[in-house]
């Protein structure tokens, strides 16, 4: 398994000019298994479909991904009913870090989350969030994608 080091922040809106400088990917994902500290997810990001196992929570998690055929994705998709989310992901590199802004659709709209991925824990701890970043939710399990797919928006999601 690979390590994923990521910090997450709520945003009030997509920052001005961000969409023009970033690549946008439509994503639909569903969860086959959601257990304490472990999930099995399928994702369609337009060009590729993947199945992913994630474990852990917060800043450092373990992740293993594998491409799957669109046919297998379509076969598994009905099994994720009630545990799905859809979003537009705007990605770009900023100062050596990958910034991904997820603009959620459907029942999770108007939630917008900034995810910043890092090569090390030291880089993650040294990171100063940009001025447009709102409340940090890295350690709040209610804001991981599986919890959002299962439980929807936390009641206090729009409070600073």
């Amino acid at each position: 398994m690979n390590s994923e080091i990521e910090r997450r922040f709520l945003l009030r809106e997509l920052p001005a000019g961000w969409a023009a400088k970033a690549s946008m990917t439509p994503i639909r994902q569903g969860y086959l298994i959601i257990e304490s500290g472990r999930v099995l997810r399928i994702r369609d990001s337009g060009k590729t479909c993947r199945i992913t196992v994630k474990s852990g929570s917060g800043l450092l998690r373990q992740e293993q991904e594998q491409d799957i055929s669109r046919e297998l994705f379509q076969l598994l998709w009905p099994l994720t009913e009630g545990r799905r989310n859809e979003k537009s992901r705007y990605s770009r590199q900023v100062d050596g870090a990958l910034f991904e802004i997820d603009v959620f659709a459907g029942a999770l709209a108007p939630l917008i989350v900034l995810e910043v991925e890092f090569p090390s824990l030291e880089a993650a701890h040294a990171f100063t969030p940009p001025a447009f970043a709102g409340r940090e939710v890295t350690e709040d399990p209610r804001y991981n994608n599986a919890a959002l797919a299962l439980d929807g928006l936390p009641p206090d999601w729009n409070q600073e």
Side-chain angles (χ1 to χ4, degrees), residues 77-148:
W77 185 247
L79 302 175
T80 68
E81 182 71 38
R83 297 180 310 277
R84 299 176 180 163
N85 52 47
E86 294 187 32
K87 56 192 175 182
S88 296
R89 172 168 283 174
Y90 296 85
S91 304
R92 69 185 251 218
Q93 291 286 328
V94 178
D95 298 328
L98 177 61
F99 279 49
E100 296 175 323
I101 297 179
D102 290 339
V103 178
F104 287 84
L108 294 174
L111 181 65
I112 303 174
V113 176
L114 166 65
E115 298 180 352
V116 185
E117 292 190 16
F118 301 94
S120 68
L121 286 171
E122 294 77 20
H125 290 301
F127 176 71
T128 300
F132 62 81
R135 176 167 47 114
E136 183 165 5
V137 294
T138 302
E139 298 296 336
D140 188 336
R142 301 174 304 160
Y143 288 94
N144 71 45
N145 281 283
L148 290 168

Side-chain angles (χ1 to χ4, degrees), residues 17-37:
W18 187 271
K21 297 176 185 174
S23 63
M24 193 282 283
T25 304
I27 294 173
R28 65 182 178 137
Q29 58 192 25
Y31 292 85
L32 297 163
I33 299 171
I34 300 175
E35 298 176 346
S36 179

